Structures are given as structure tokens and as C-alpha cells.
Amino acid sequence: MNIPFCLPENITPEDFLQNYWQKRPLLIRNGLPQIIGLFEPEDIIELAQQDEVTARLITTHSQPEGEKWSLKRSPLSCEDFNDLPEQWSVLVQNLEQWSPELGALWQAFGYIPQWQRDDIMISYAPAGGSVGRHYDEYDVFLVQGYGHRRWQLGKWCDSSTEFKANQPIRIFDDMGELIFDEILAPGDVLYVPSRLSHYGVAQDDCLTFSFGLRFPNAADLLENLCKTLEHQSETLPNSQFALPFRLSPKMQPNALLDPQMVKQLKVQLIDLLQHSEQFDALFTHSVATAVSTRRYVQLLEEGEFYPDEVQQVLESGGWIQQDANVKMLYTEQPQQVYVNGEWIDELTEPEANLLIRIANGDAISWNKLASKAKNQDTLELLLDSLCDWLDSGWVTLEEGE
């Protein structure tokens, strides 16, 4: 299924990235009609109770001193949905794991690099249900799939924004001056930049899909850099990372860690990181592993694929494409391919080229596969590789109509 980009007719991907991305919200009426009918409320309540599903049940109780919010995390049971108050919501993460049809809709946002994809979350709420006024540390496309939800957008937030005390979720009352107040119908899409306050209230039985996109933070990058240095410590020459440390000329207490010395080491370390080609390669590897890592464990179906079977499906009009649960990326100079946080370091050139084409959104038919293979041996190698990638859950095999 070929999904066009989700943008208004008068806005190109370049316009969006320059003028809207992380700068201001955008309402796209009927931007993703393909999502209508994929799920109904009963589907989500049932899914939220299944094993291996990451879900949250949020309820609101009105009390004399104000609203009291409650949060229960998965596993959820049927009893959790009995005797609920009027205002409640259930949220399910990583929904593309359970619906390939939904995962395919990531194509609609293909003008954003896939390494920024986090997951697709769904929120169900009856009329009046909400998760409160809040902001997110990630960009999100809010897609209405069922029913209607009213969205209000307000002030920009930061780390100094104060949340309500003694509540299990991060919410606040003050959204400042509202800049947006609209009701979304099925198929409508609202882009909300990171850290922009927003508040959604279900107008009726309502399903809202959140296509979340994240950047790595400093902790992610430093953690992966430390792992990289640890894994490659035996091959790294110590001279590449030596710091020209000198003792302070002033006499210090014997056990004191001199703060001036710490500052000096920091400056020398930053200078080394900025001017070391060896570090540039290590840091690129660290970034690649960080941004290609999935936040949720991928669940794999049991089964095994064989070259003859795959060839038969492809020759009958089928194709191979990237699984929507998987994050793939590659680097150039040197060319390296990463899948779900792992560097795939034993690829031949034909295998790497094929995997890169798949990562860039190409659907691989039999004609495409055969035309890229220089000889029969290469074709058999690529068929074997496709079977391995299918078994690993990196790609899917789609049958032709």
C-alpha cells in the first residue's frame, strides 16, 4: 500500500520542515483517511488486557479539593474496567506491533527521518475523558481515528514548568493564552511540536493515535558512547585519547580534588573530542546505535522462511519491505548499516546495498532483486539473506493480489 505524505496540498515537505517542524502546530483536515475503521473502542479495551502489551489506565475523580488522578500500568485485567468514573482513558503503546496495517501508515510521515520514529500510541476515552493539560518531550502527529476530540494548545513549556503536586502523571492547569481550539474528526491530523502545551478532551467515544517522534538526549548519547568505548577498548590506541594534564603550581590539601584541575580536564576533553578523527568515527557509531534502538522489545512470530518459498511469492507478484516495527539506518564513509540498535557488520556489498534500499522505503519485487544480482550465486546469496531478515523480523513478505 502506497501512502502519500500527510500534508496540506499547499505545503511541501520542505515548507513543513522549514516553517512548522518544532516551531508551530499544523492542522491537516482529512490528512490520514486511511486510519478510519482500523480500530474501534472495544478493540483497544481488549488489547490493553493482553499479555506483553504496554498500557496505562488513567482515571479522574472529582473531590472537594479538586481533581484526583489515578494511574494503573499494565498488566490490566477485565476487573480494572469495572466501576470506572465518568472520566477515564486507556493508552496503549507500540500499537504498530499489533497492527501491520497501522504500522504501514508511518509512510505518511516519511518526510521525517525514520530514526526519529518512537512508536504509535493510541488513546481511548469516552465523552469527557482526558489525560489532562500537559506537554511532551517529543514531537507528535495526533491522528483522530474514531469519534471526536477537542484540542486546545497554549504556551511553550520547559524544565521550569511546574506540575500539579501529588499526582501520578505530569499535568498542570496554566496553559497560558490559547493559540488553538478545534475539534478533530476521523481522519484529521494535528501536528504538535515538542514542549507545546496541549489538552485533549473526548467529545464522544474517541480513539486518537499519536505518532511520536523523538531526538536522542545527552544521556542516551553518552550511554552509547561509553558502551562503544568499552567494546572497542582493546583496539583503541591510548595515545589517541591522552590528556596533557599538569599539576597546579599551588600546594593543595593532600586529599582534595582541585576544582580548577577538574575544569582544566573538562576543557582538554572537549578539545580532544572536537579535533580527533578517531573520536568522530566512535561518536557516529554511538549516535547510530542510540537513534536506531527501539524503546520496546520487538515480538517475533514463530516460523522459518526458505529461499524457494520466498522466490515463489516474489515471482507471483509479491514483494519484500521493511517491517514497521523495525528501525533501520545507515552511514556513509564508511558505509555501515544499523538495525534496532545493532551494527550489522558482516554484510557483503550486495547485501548492504539491498538492505539500504529497503531502509529507504523501496519495495523489493522479484524483478528488482534479479536485476541487482550480477549472477546466480549473488541471487542465491540475497535470497538466503532475505530469509534471515524475515526470520529476524526486519522485513515482511507481502503477497501480490
Side-chain angles (χ1 to χ4, degrees):
M1 179 171 57
N2 186 25
I3 308 295
F5 286 161
C6 176
L7 285 171
E9 291 183 359
N10 62 332
I11 296 179
T12 66
E14 293 77 14
D15 291 336
F16 176 83
L17 293 172
Q18 180 175 353
N19 299 312
Y20 291 89
W21 180 246
Q22 299 188 324
K23 295 178 181 177
R24 54 180 172 147
L26 177 65
L27 175 62
I28 311 169
R29 291 291 186 188
N30 200 36
L32 199 59
Q34 298 88 345
I35 207 166
I36 300 173
L38 285 185
F39 290 91
E40 295 190 355
E42 294 77 11
D43 301 325
I44 302 307
I45 295 175
E46 181 179 343
L47 181 62
Q49 299 171 45
Q50 293 188 17
D51 295 336
E52 299 178 314
V53 169
T54 303
R56 290 170 289 165
L57 178 62
I58 299 174
T59 57
T60 313
H61 300 266
S62 296
Q63 298 181 347
E65 62 273 18
E67 294 178 334
K68 176 63 177 177
W69 295 77
S70 298
L71 169 66
K72 181 168 185 183
R73 300 182 184 274
S74 53
L76 302 177
S77 66
C78 182
E79 288 73 21
D80 292 318
F81 292 89
N82 295 332
D83 301 322
L84 289 170
E86 289 187 6
Q87 297 182 15
W88 61 276
S89 298
V90 61
L91 290 73
V92 177
Q93 303 285 162
N94 192 31
L95 199 64
E96 61 265 54
Q97 176 72 71
W98 312 101
S99 171
E101 295 82 7
L102 179 64
L105 298 185
W106 269 120
Q107 297 177 53
F109 309 103
Y111 47 91
I112 309 295
Q114 69 157 294
W115 59 261
Q116 292 186 38
R117 296 177 189 172
D118 189 25
D119 76 321
I120 304 174
M121 183 189 76
I122 190 167
S123 170
Y124 165 68
S130 174
V131 295
R133 298 169 178 84
H134 67 285
Y135 74 90
D136 299 312
E137 293 284 0
Y138 55 88
D139 297 81
V140 64
F141 289 91
L142 300 168
V143 184
Q144 197 62 26
Y146 184 99
H148 302 77
R149 191 182 292 264
R150 179 185 179 185
W151 284 103
Q152 295 177 322
L153 310 181
K155 67 181 182 181
W156 292 92
C157 302
D158 55 33
S159 57
S160 66
T161 301
E162 293 187 7
F163 298 101
K164 283 187 174 182
N166 303 316
Q167 299 289 0
I169 56 178
R170 301 195 318 165
I171 55 175
F172 47 75
D173 289 325
D174 179 20
M175 287 180 57
E177 182 180 353
L178 295 182
I179 62 171
F180 180 92
D181 191 344
E182 297 279 354
I183 294 177
L184 270 62
D188 290 345
V189 179
L190 175 62
Y191 165 65
V192 180
S194 170
R195 295 195 171 187
L196 183 64
S197 59
H198 49 284
Y199 179 45
V201 180
Q203 306 298 290
D204 44 29
D205 275 5
C206 164
L207 295 179
T208 302
F209 298 79
S210 301
F211 288 72
L213 299 122
R214 291 179 185 265
F215 278 90
N217 59 32
D220 296 329
L221 297 179
L222 289 172
E223 178 182 359
N224 278 272
L225 177 59
C226 291
K227 290 179 180 177
T228 299
L229 291 171
E230 180 181 357
H231 291 161
Q232 301 190 25
S233 59
E234 294 183 0
T235 62
L236 293 175
N238 290 331
S239 59
Q240 288 279 343
F241 296 92
L243 296 176
F245 171 69
R246 293 184 178 86
L247 282 174
S248 170
K250 294 191 300 182
M251 187 67 180
Q252 301 284 354
N254 186 263
L256 175 66
L257 181 63
D258 182 7
Q260 190 62 34
M261 182 270 288
V262 173
K263 182 177 179 181
Q264 177 188 347
L265 282 175
K266 176 183 175 182
V267 171
Q268 292 174 344
L269 177 61
I270 292 174
D271 183 69
L272 172 67
L273 301 185
Q274 287 180 329
H275 299 97
S276 168
E277 293 184 4
Q278 181 89 1
F279 175 79
D280 287 346
L282 293 172
F283 188 66
T284 298
H285 176 78
S286 302
V287 172
T289 56
V291 300
S292 64
T293 298
R294 283 174 47 85
R295 196 151 60 99
Y296 300 95
V297 175
Q298 183 181 3
L299 304 179
L300 299 178
E301 296 183 6
E302 294 184 2
E304 190 172 353
F305 291 85
Y306 299 94
D308 291 345
E309 297 174 355
V310 173
Q311 179 175 341
Q312 183 177 357
V313 172
L314 294 179
E315 288 182 331
S316 300
W319 65 91
I320 295 280
Q321 65 184 25
Q322 180 180 343
D323 191 301
N325 292 290
V326 171
K327 297 179 75 172
M328 293 185 186
L329 61 84
Y330 62 95
T331 60
E332 296 178 330
Q333 300 178 354
Q335 185 183 85
Q336 295 181 171
V337 180
Y338 296 80
V339 180
N340 289 348
E342 297 291 335
W343 171 30
I344 314 304
D345 61 346
E346 296 182 352
L347 296 174
T348 65
E349 183 177 348
E351 289 174 318
N353 291 337
L354 179 60
L355 203 51
I356 287 172
R357 288 180 61 190
I358 293 172
N360 280 327
D362 200 355
I364 305 300
S365 64
W366 177 252
N367 288 339
K368 288 181 180 179
L369 185 67
S371 66
K372 293 298 180 182
K374 297 179 180 179
N375 51 51
Q376 185 63 26
D377 289 342
T378 303
L379 182 58
E380 292 176 0
L381 167 69
L382 293 179
L383 276 172
D384 287 339
S385 298
L386 287 175
C387 290
D388 290 339
W389 302 344
L390 285 163
D391 292 339
S392 299
W394 299 354
V395 297
T396 61
L397 179 63
E398 307 294 334
E399 295 190 1
E401 297 180 358

